[in-house]
Amino acid sequence: MNDLLPNLSSSVFLSLPGFRLYALCVIVLILKMNATGLLTAMTRARLKVALNAEDAARFGAQLTTAEHPDVDRVLRAHRNDLENIPSFFLLGLIAVMVGAPVLGMQIAFIAFTAARVVHTVSYVKAMQPWRSMSFGIGSLANFALMVMIVIRLFA
Amino acid sequence: MNDLLPNLSSSVFLSLPGFRLYALCVIVLILKMNATGLLTAMTRARLKVALNAEDAARFGAQLTTAEHPDVDRVLRAHRNDLENIPSFFLLGLIAVMVGAPVLGMQIAFIAFTAARVVHTVSYVKAMQPWRSMSFGIGSLANFALMVMIVIRLFA
Amino acid sequence: MNDLLPNLSSSVFLSLPGFRLYALCVIVLILKMNATGLLTAMTRARLKVALNAEDAARFGAQLTTAEHPDVDRVLRAHRNDLENIPSFFLLGLIAVMVGAPVLGMQIAFIAFTAARVVHTVSYVKAMQPWRSMSFGIGSLANFALMVMIVIRLFA
């Protein structure tokens, strides 16, 4: 029976309602964050600036101490990701684990993921009120997950 | 039997010792981080400064390149969260999954969560040695979870 | 039977292929991030600078508004961690949960963990191309985990 446990449990996870969608949203959001990091590097390359002396020497770039405003903008978008996306990663996982309502989870997962993609695009392209709206929708999705989790914890 | 698996497994998670307290602490810490983000926005609004041209135009704020010291302080408190709280999220979850001692987990979860709330308040209000003490207690709680996990992994 | 569930399930997690190695890598990476945070504090102490008035008063340090270049370097290394390590935490956990190929997981877990240790050392010591190479290996390991997860999700 011990030999069967591993197979059993990986089936259990895959069969948890919402788990597949959750895992896909995590991957989309990580690829989106990787793209933001890549955009920072590409913006520095385009402006031919570097903050590390070893990079300036290597790429023939100008060494600076302060970031260019265009780089700073991408860094702020990325930082906003770091302040919000890891929270979703945990709330989504816990929601799946406690068996939150499937439709509620599906709406929250898709809304959060779409909102964060729109947030990055609208931040980088200086599009308001899209940036504030997408930030708000992402926060609401996280808040909805918290409510669903608390209800299950005390049900 | 396949139809029963999902319900079975969400009961399994909820019945894991420490899981309910862990989930509650995650939610409290996420709400605390959201409050820190809100404080950054409120401090910028109070000082009538903005870092993005589109925000300066929208809210009639002064466009700046460098943050005001009051905003920088809140950002440092928030960054310290980002450096420490995601680690707790993982360590707490793994501790629950490996069945760490229940009392040890309860003390670590509550100590970490309380310490990080005190850390933010004492950082924003420039209260030392409270800030350093609360940072230390949070780090100790994380370290205790690591020890409990390693013991279970090799037991 | 309800009394047996908790013990059963913590055994289930520990018996999941790859889980023990995953948990160890999480702990190594958290200790590494803690060390980076400590290095920031030690660098500020060595340079006798502080960004908070209450710290300057307490430690007899010089109050500054801008970070010293040596501190900025450590902070950039740490920020790069925050942009990449939480993603690994989730991808590794999901890979274990869905039962990704064991050898593939083992290679990805060890490669990512080793690469991120090398990344921090080579960033702090300004060693190129080691920094870029280790960053790339870490990103590849995360990407490999994503591919393994997606294959299992749709298998």
Side-chain angles (χ1 to χ4, degrees), chain B residues 9-78:
Chain B
S9 46
S10 78
S11 309
V12 166
F13 293 119
L14 281 169
S15 66
L16 284 173
F19 184 84
R20 274 188 168 78
L21 183 62
Y22 166 73
L24 277 180
C25 288
V26 168
I27 287 173
V28 169
L29 289 165
I30 289 175
L31 289 172
K32 194 224 68 58
M33 285 195 283
N34 291 351
T36 311
L38 201 64
L39 185 59
T40 300
M42 285 166 62
T43 307
R44 283 198 192 118
R46 176 171 60 79
L47 297 164
K48 292 198 166 294
V49 292
L51 272 84
N52 298 303
E54 67 273 23
D55 299 341
R58 202 171 160 222
F59 303 112
Q62 178 82 28
L63 185 67
T64 56
T65 46
E67 294 277 13
H68 187 279
D70 289 2
V71 180
D72 257 338
R73 177 177 286 273
V74 185
L75 287 175
R76 282 199 298 277
H78 204 162

Side-chain angles (χ1 to χ4, degrees), chain B residues 12-13 15-17 73 76 79 82-83 87 90-91 93-94 97-99 123 126 128-129 131-132 146 149-150 152-154, chain C residues 5-6 9-10 13-14 19-20 22-24 26-27 30-31 33-34 51-55 58 75 78-79 82 89 93 97:
Chain B
V12 166
F13 293 119
S15 66
L16 284 173
R73 177 177 286 273
R76 282 199 298 277
R79 177 170 168 141
L82 302 183
E83 291 174 358
S87 299
L90 265 287
L91 293 173
L93 183 64
I94 294 173
M97 284 173 136
V98 301
Y123 208 139
Q128 280 285 33
R131 193 188 90 216
S132 295
M146 290 186 218
I149 290 167
V150 168
R152 283 290 294 164
L153 290 180
F154 296 104
Chain C
L5 275 176
S9 45
S10 78
F13 293 119
L14 281 168
F19 184 84
R20 275 189 166 79
Y22 166 74
L24 277 180
V26 168
I27 287 173
I30 289 174
L31 288 172
M33 286 195 283
N34 290 352
L51 273 83
N52 298 302
E54 67 274 22
D55 299 341
R58 201 170 160 223
L75 286 175
H78 205 162
R79 176 168 168 143
L82 302 184
F89 286 168
L93 183 64
M97 285 173 136

Side-chain angles (χ1 to χ4, degrees), chain A residues 125-140:
Chain A
K125 294 196 175 285
M127 289 158 65
Q128 281 285 33
W130 295 96
R131 194 188 89 217
S132 295
M133 272 176 49
S134 55
F135 175 82
I137 291 170
S139 299
L140 271 181

